[in-house]
Amino acid sequence: MTPEILSLARYLASSRAEFTLSEMNLYLSRKYDEKELYESLKPHLYDLSLFCDARYKCTKLANQPLPADESIIRELEGMFKTPRLPARVEKLVESYIERSCGKDWHTGRKADLIRENIVKQKEEYWKGKSQYPRIRIISYLLYHFPVYFCQYQYLLLDLLRSGLLTTKMSILDAGAGPGTITLSTIDFLRKLLEVYSKKNIDVKLSIKIGAVEQEAENINCYKELASSYLSDLKLDNANITMAEPVSAPLETVKLPEDYDLIVFSNVLAEMDMPPEQRADVVERVASASKNPTIIIIEPADLVNSTALRVTQHALIRKGFNIFSPCTLIWGIGCTGGNCWSFEEPGSIQVPGFMKKIARTGEPYRYINTDMKFSSVILRRDGITKHAYRAKGKFARLANLKKHVGKRVNVAVSVMSGNLGDEKTFVFKVCDATTSVPCYAVLPAYHMNDNNKAIFDAGYGGIIEISGTLIRENRAFSSYNLLITRNTAVRIVN
Ligand SMILES: C[S@@+](CC[C@H](N)C(=O)[O-])C[C@H]1O[C@@H](n2cnc3c(N)ncnc32)[C@H](O)[C@@H]1O
């Protein structure tokens, strides 16, 4: 593209509310097709704050929160009731596998090797060289990718609800792997635009997505999947551009860009350093961003989940604040120690390619559909998902020792799904005052209209529990807050 085109576009963008690309020919030294002009300007539209539609009419794009009223959220929630990979993504992943391993990837010796690798990767001891060059990323696509793709969209939905997704956003996929987060973000925006269009809400989006990844193999996969997905999608109301992925370790990468959203999905745990030190990496990556939203996602197992809270706490000491899931109910922060908390939004539908690799005597070893993850969303501007603060009449969980055997009132966040069974429902609860684990325990025969709201609070939701009986569980060094038929539970966020 000639500098003439860009400088004219910059001038028109700053001096007109709208213009057509054909108009540009009036001022240029030679004539161009509109399409030609569009293609050369496309990578610059984000920086120019311009949106050019299918008829090549360009308008100024104001950055504002994406509409998210009740009916929009309800519609999206409906779409998430049966989480699954979109058909197009499923097809792209399967073609990628076919191109890498051949059409017969799911039969015979090749399938055995992939299965072996899935099991090894699952157990986190995959080492050495595989027979097929791309097998490592292949087993990741087959086993981990679908769940990670789907679970991330629940966090985006949360950001949308809270007004943290806007019409103009620069997003960084940090430790991108095959592009799980990039593809999932694009799919989420596609669904959202579908809802807007159904409701005749005119919203235009300008999105720029960058990525950092240290493995060349993964970058190749990322580029192939993400660019094919994007070029196939016809999104009339969105200009989504992808920057060339940066091939570097996150510890040393140079990122001068100001990002609005930075996502570390299942990457920090792979870093060979203590959890506190991972906070330095996050801080460095975000250092050029004015006010980013940072999402960190980790597996839900004890080691990775508790490590995330340690990293999270180190970030708080560096000046970040938790947007979600934790609420400082008494206005004071926890220590970040000994906290095992994760959410479980349900199961995804089994993608076709997963079914194919699972056609063995032990299919369950290759089927991965449970969404179960630990996450934190951080900001630097003090914004939190819930502003609730407890006052007066509630006991702090840090003081439960002196209330053992008595009934008290507490205000707590629900920090798990049901950890018990159908006879006894158990929820982890927290008010950020103690690192001693506390559980709300509701025997099914005590459940009634007065206390069943605990099921509707949702992960991170805040409830007031009135008249809960405190018991100490010495064997587990924890407290149980017994909810009986005389206990009231009220959602307060
Ligand atoms: C488990 S995969 C996660 C990929 C993707 N974010 C997702 O959620 O599916 C971790 C990725 O992070 C990359 N990675 C690990 N440590 C890294 C580092 N220090 N710098 C850059 N990338 C890293 C790995 O190469 C791998 O692609």
Side-chain angles (χ1 to χ4, degrees):
M1 135 141 122
T2 67
E4 193 193 12
I5 298 176
L6 184 57
S7 67
L8 175 60
R10 194 170 286 129
Y11 169 73
L12 291 172
S14 64
S15 57
R16 306 251 189 105
E18 61 174 65
F19 61 93
T20 58
L21 290 183
S22 62
E23 264 178 84
M24 289 182 76
N25 280 320
L26 297 173
Y27 310 101
L28 290 168
S29 53
R30 56 155 278 217
K31 271 196 182 322
Y32 295 86
D33 280 350
E34 285 169 315
K35 191 163 185 302
E36 235 180 315
L37 287 169
Y38 179 75
E39 287 306 325
S40 49
L41 280 176
K42 199 170 170 213
H44 305 280
L45 292 176
Y46 179 90
D47 294 326
L48 293 168
S49 292
L50 272 182
F51 184 88
C52 299
D53 68 17
R55 292 191 192 141
Y56 303 119
K57 190 175 90 182
C58 303
T59 43
K60 279 295 265 186
L61 187 116
N63 191 16
Q64 52 201 25
L66 286 168
D69 67 26
E70 273 286 316
S71 71
I72 292 166
I73 298 296
R74 242 181 287 125
E75 192 94 19
L76 280 166
E77 282 172 346
M79 291 179 175
F80 291 133
K81 283 225 167 87
T82 45
R84 54 173 304 161
L85 283 186
R88 180 70 201 138
V89 171
E90 200 176 315
K91 205 161 157 214
L92 277 176
V93 169
E94 184 153 357
S95 331
Y96 183 84
I97 297 171
E98 273 182 17
R99 278 198 306 286
S100 307
C101 306
K103 274 199 177 305
D104 57 348
W105 63 271
H106 49 89
T107 57
R109 181 74 194 120
K110 283 186 190 174
D112 288 343
L113 270 175
I114 294 175
R115 288 190 197 107
E116 241 168 64
N117 204 53
I118 289 178
V119 173
K120 280 189 191 165
Q121 198 172 58
K122 215 169 22 167
E123 292 165 3
E124 291 181 351
Y125 60 76
W126 192 93
K127 289 186 198 110
K129 292 216 172 346
S130 59
Q131 195 164 330
Y132 297 94
R134 300 202 210 175
I135 202 162
R136 194 171 175 185
I137 195 76
I138 300 300
S139 56
Y140 190 82
L141 286 168
L142 284 165
Y143 191 80
H144 294 288
F145 172 86
V147 160
Y148 292 168
F149 179 104
C150 293
Q151 69 188 22
Y152 166 65
Q153 296 196 343
Y154 292 85
L155 298 176
L156 284 181
L157 184 60
D158 239 12
L159 294 186
L160 175 73
R161 272 196 202 99
S162 307
L164 290 185
L165 294 186
T166 63
T167 47
K168 187 176 180 235
M169 278 184 299
S170 174
I171 301 171
L172 180 70
D173 186 350
T180 322
I181 295 306
T182 297
L183 290 162
S184 181
T185 304
I186 298 171
D187 178 60
F188 180 88
L189 296 173
R190 175 189 67 80
K191 287 178 178 134
L192 184 59
L193 287 171
E194 211 175 287
V195 174
Y196 289 153
S197 147
K198 216 162 123 185
K199 296 185 175 298
N200 289 321
I201 304 172
D202 182 27
V203 176
K204 308 248 184 308
L205 292 180
S206 185
I207 308 292
K208 190 154 90 173
I209 306 182
V212 179
E213 170 56 54
Q214 66 181 8
E215 298 279 341
E217 211 56 70
N218 298 2
I219 291 188
N220 290 340
C221 180
Y222 175 96
K223 281 164 71 167
E224 235 180 283
L225 292 182
S227 57
S228 313
Y229 186 46
L230 202 51
S231 62
D232 284 357
L233 273 186
K234 294 282 166 273
L235 297 176
D236 289 343
N237 279 346
N239 174 39
I240 303 178
T241 49
M242 270 172 24
E244 178 70 19
V246 181
S247 168
L250 287 161
E251 293 86 331
T252 51
V253 67
K254 288 197 174 57
L255 295 165
E257 182 105 13
D258 175 7
Y259 295 103
D260 302 296
L261 177 60
I262 303 177
V263 188
F264 298 83
S265 168
N266 299 293
V267 55
L268 294 188
E270 288 202 358
M271 290 181 178
D272 193 13
M273 57 176 75
E276 289 90 356
Q277 232 170 295
R278 294 173 192 161
D280 298 340
V281 177
V282 174
E283 185 188 36
R284 242 195 108 257
V285 168
S287 58
S289 300
K290 287 195 204 82
N291 193 19
T293 299
I294 295 175
I295 302 184
I296 307 175
I297 306 167
E298 293 292 358
D301 65 276
L302 177 67
V303 172
N304 287 312
S305 176
T306 49
L308 165 66
R309 300 302 165 204
V310 175
T311 307
Q312 162 183 326
H313 198 66
L315 282 161
I316 292 164
R317 287 197 300 270
K318 289 173 180 293
F320 290 86
N321 69 275
I322 306 171
F323 169 79
S324 72
C326 318
T327 303
L328 306 183
I329 285 185
W330 292 94
I332 52 167
C334 69
T335 58
N338 193 27
C339 176
W340 186 14
S341 165
F342 51 85
E343 64 189 293
E344 295 176 88
S347 299
I348 66 163
Q349 292 186 14
V350 189
F353 54 71
M354 201 185 272
K355 280 186 194 150
K356 285 187 187 170
I357 201 66
R359 272 187 215 137
T360 63
E362 298 173 311
Y364 62 90
R365 297 184 85 185
Y366 311 101
I367 298 281
N368 179 23
T369 55
D370 289 351
M371 290 182 285
K372 206 172 184 182
F373 63 98
S374 295
S375 71
V376 63
I377 302 180
L378 297 152
R379 297 273 301 179
R380 266 196 303 234
D381 57 3
I383 292 183
T384 56
K385 182 173 171 188
H386 300 305
Y388 176 90
R389 291 284 180 269
K391 285 184 215 88
K393 58 183 176 160
F394 299 104
R396 294 180 188 216
L397 297 185
N399 297 334
L400 289 187
K401 195 166 188 56
K402 62 182 184 209
H403 299 299
V404 172
K406 297 180 202 151
R407 284 188 184 265
V408 293
N409 304 334
V410 295
V412 292
S413 304
V414 177
M415 297 305 292
S416 74
N418 176 22
L419 302 170
D421 51 32
E422 315 90 84
K423 285 193 184 146
T424 311
F425 307 109
V426 178
F427 295 88
K428 185 180 174 76
V429 293
C430 176
D431 68 357
T433 62
T434 177
S435 54
V436 176
C438 298
Y439 299 94
V441 178
L442 169 58
Y445 58 87
H446 276 302
M447 191 167 84
N448 60 27
D449 284 350
N450 226 8
N451 58 33
K452 67 177 191 209
I454 194 161
F455 292 93
D456 302 325
Y459 185 74
I462 302 169
I463 52 174
E464 291 177 354
I465 312 180
S466 307
T468 176
L469 181 63
I470 307 304
R471 286 181 173 164
E472 192 171 5
N473 186 340
R474 292 227 169 115
F476 290 99
S477 304
S478 61
Y479 288 101
N480 288 345
L481 289 72
L482 188 68
I483 300 179
T484 63
R485 58 181 60 86
N486 299 321
T487 310
V489 175
R490 194 167 73 92
I491 298 174
V492 286
N493 49 64

